[in-house]
Amino acid sequence: MNSLFKALDDPTRRQILEMLKEKDMTAGDIADAFTISKPSISHHLDLLRQANLVISIKEGQFVRYSLNTTVFDELIGWVIGLSEKKSAKKKTTKSK
Amino acid sequence: MNSLFKALDDPTRRQILEMLKEKDMTAGDIADAFTISKPSISHHLDLLRQANLVISIKEGQFVRYSLNTTVFDELIGWVIGLSEKKSAKKKTTKSK
DNA sequence: TGTATAATTAGACAAACATCTAAATATTAT
DNA sequence: ATAATATTTAGATGTTTGTCTAATTATACA
């Protein structure tokens, strides 16, 4: 959960996710979309991978990155959990 | 959006949100739940307020903090937007 | 086998961040 | 008015983070 929020707390990384939403891309193609250096992008991709937000597959000399949407379930679950505020307080005891 | 992700990228701040989910609390009560200093908690509360995740109301000499769930809609919208991956690509042109 | 291309790793550096103590502000009570 | 309590602001400090260049690893091609 920590690595997830950390990964999302950066505009470059969020932009990468939005690019990958459209189509899979190689590390080089992703880097070309930005003005920052390739190693920096590589580092961003590493953090996204650690958070399980992307999956990387080596294809010959290239590495193809794709969005992993499964993590979003966890994120949405967390947000919804918080949204269920104190209003309409439920008993913890099971109702018969 | 940036301030939102930044605010969520800290375990202490997320824990504060979960406490406020249960009930409103004063700054002091929140600080008492942690081992870190009051000024540090005050700073965390400031970031949460900047992100609109909490609302603060001064009540006499106390400041009562409460969770603001409206921002979660925006967050969930963002996540769902990303989840709608490339599969089943839709035309941008309106269907008649 | 050597060279070009793709990507990552290593190490350095400045900016941002979490934390602290001390001081300031605001409110309540004596 | 003075003292006590609640909270924030100011300023300092160590750590984490984003970025860079240079070097390394791995694959493809000629």
Side-chain angles (χ1 to χ4, degrees), chain A residues 36-95:
Chain A
I36 65 183
S37 71
K38 274 187 226 286
S40 295
I41 293 292
S42 187
H43 176 238
H44 284 307
L45 290 170
D46 188 41
L47 291 179
L48 289 171
R49 190 155 9 88
Q50 279 176 42
N52 250 292
L53 283 162
V54 302
I55 290 164
S56 65
I57 294 166
K58 179 140 201 180
E59 287 182 344
Q61 118 196 85
F62 299 88
V63 175
R64 191 183 70 204
Y65 282 86
S66 56
L67 194 63
N68 178 23
T69 54
T70 63
V71 205
F72 292 132
D73 297 339
E74 187 189 357
L75 179 53
I76 288 180
W78 182 84
V79 176
I80 289 189
L82 266 187
S83 301
E84 286 166 356
K85 232 178 158 180
K86 65 229 152 186
S87 48
K89 188 175 164 192
K90 268 179 274 188
K91 300 256 287 288
T92 32
T93 46
K94 224 186 292 180
S95 60

Side-chain angles (χ1 to χ4, degrees), chain B residues 27-41:
Chain B
D29 286 343
I30 295 168
D32 288 345
F34 295 89
T35 53
I36 64 184
S37 70
K38 274 185 224 289
S40 295
I41 293 294

Side-chain angles (χ1 to χ4, degrees), chain B residues 6 10 13 36-37 39-40 43-44 47 58 60-61:
Chain B
K6 185 198 292 198
D10 183 274
R13 289 195 288 271
I36 64 184
S37 70
S40 295
H43 176 238
H44 284 307
L47 292 178
K58 178 140 200 181
Q61 102 197 102

